[in-house]
């Protein structure tokens, strides 16, 4: 219940039918994030109404102007929750204890995010270019995503540098390894 209520992971579309099949977060160039959680749902433990009440209470607590529920669907013991966040700060307020950042590289550094796991990584565009602390300064205005929950990410632009626990897919997607956690975050710098 907590995972779906928190909305910490999201679903992606099946290219054949548009159906949600696995967990994904979608990022926009404006800094907004849409999270679609797909989780098992046992109606013998709690009802859809109870889940809705819990979500609505959490939205009010986090700030209704910053967090909204787009939809909740329960079908065949699977709940699909679509949540919208105006920023990664709003996401973190709603999902207490789950760390996520989405902003510029300079903002990430100013907020104290450890981006050193990117150092030594080759560029996804030109493998001869290796990420260094100096290069990070050059990329100060590039968007950076810092995620601590395994999922699929839909990116607003292609990735330039990623940590080893990220596998880049087609169409500006990234699949995060199951090892992604607070201790081993996935970090991506976008073009």
């Amino acid at each position: 219940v907590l995972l779906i209520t928190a909305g910490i992971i999201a679903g992606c579309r099946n290219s054949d039918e548009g159906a949600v099949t696995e967990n994904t977060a979608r990022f926009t160039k404006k800094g907004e994030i849409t999270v679609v959680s797909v989780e098992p749902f046992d109606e013998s433990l709690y009802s859809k109404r109870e889940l809705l009440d819990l979500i609505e209470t959490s939205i009010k607590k986090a700030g209704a102007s910053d967090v909204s529920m787009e939809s909740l669907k329960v079908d065949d013991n699977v709940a699909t929750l679509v949540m919208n966040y105006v920023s990664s700060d709003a996401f973190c307020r709603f999902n207490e204890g789950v760390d996520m950042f989405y902003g510029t590289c300079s903002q990430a550094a100013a907020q104290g995010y450890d981006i050193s796991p990117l150092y030594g990584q080759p560029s996804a565009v030109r493998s001869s270019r290796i990420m260094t602390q100096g290069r990070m300064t050059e990329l100060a205005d590039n968007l950076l995503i810092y995620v601590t929950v395994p999922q699929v990410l839909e990116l607003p632009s292609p990735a330039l540098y990623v940590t080893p626990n990220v596998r880049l897919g087609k169409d500006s997607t990234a699949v995060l390894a199951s090892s992604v956690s607070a201790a081993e975050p996935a970090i991506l710098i976008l073009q």
Side-chain angles (χ1 to χ4, degrees):
V1 176
L2 291 178
L3 285 179
I4 193 163
T5 302
I8 61 175
I9 52 185
C12 74
R13 289 171 256 134
N14 176 323
S15 60
D16 295 335
E17 300 175 43
V20 175
T21 60
E22 59 185 309
N23 295 322
T24 300
R26 297 177 192 132
F27 297 84
T28 70
K29 287 191 178 196
K30 294 180 182 179
E32 300 163 333
I33 305 163
T34 297
V35 175
V36 183
S37 298
V38 181
E39 298 292 333
F41 184 79
D42 186 349
E43 292 189 66
S44 68
L45 298 176
Y46 50 93
S47 70
K48 181 179 175 181
R49 180 72 249 163
E50 289 171 315
L51 180 57
L52 274 170
D53 290 344
L54 186 56
I55 293 166
E56 289 169 0
T57 299
S58 297
I59 289 172
K60 287 177 188 173
K61 183 178 175 186
S65 62
D66 295 338
V67 179
S68 64
M69 181 181 68
E70 188 173 312
S71 64
L72 173 64
K73 178 182 171 187
V74 177
D75 193 28
D76 293 329
N77 295 320
V78 174
T80 304
L81 173 64
V82 181
M83 297 290 297
N84 296 308
Y85 305 92
V86 298
S87 66
S88 57
D89 288 341
F91 174 91
C92 291
R93 277 195 313 277
F94 184 80
N95 299 286
E96 294 177 19
V98 178
D99 200 8
M100 177 191 282
F101 174 83
Y102 181 45
T104 65
C105 291
S106 60
Q107 290 169 331
Q111 290 185 27
Y113 283 94
D114 178 13
I115 49 181
S116 64
L118 280 173
Y119 298 156
Q121 296 304 310
S123 168
V125 176
R126 189 187 308 162
S127 62
S128 62
R129 297 198 93 170
I130 305 299
M131 174 54 75
T132 63
Q133 194 169 2
R135 190 166 313 281
M136 184 61 76
T137 303
E138 295 170 17
L139 300 172
D141 294 330
N142 286 57
L143 289 174
L144 181 141
I145 298 172
Y146 182 102
V147 181
T148 59
V149 176
Q151 59 194 299
V152 174
L153 306 178
E154 292 180 7
L155 310 171
S157 60
L160 185 57
Y161 289 96
V162 300
T163 50
N165 55 3
V166 176
R167 182 177 46 85
L168 296 176
K170 296 178 183 179
D171 304 323
S172 295
T173 62
V175 178
L176 307 186
S178 61
S179 62
V180 169
S181 65
E184 190 180 330
I187 307 170
L188 302 87
I189 295 178
L190 307 181
Q191 293 184 33

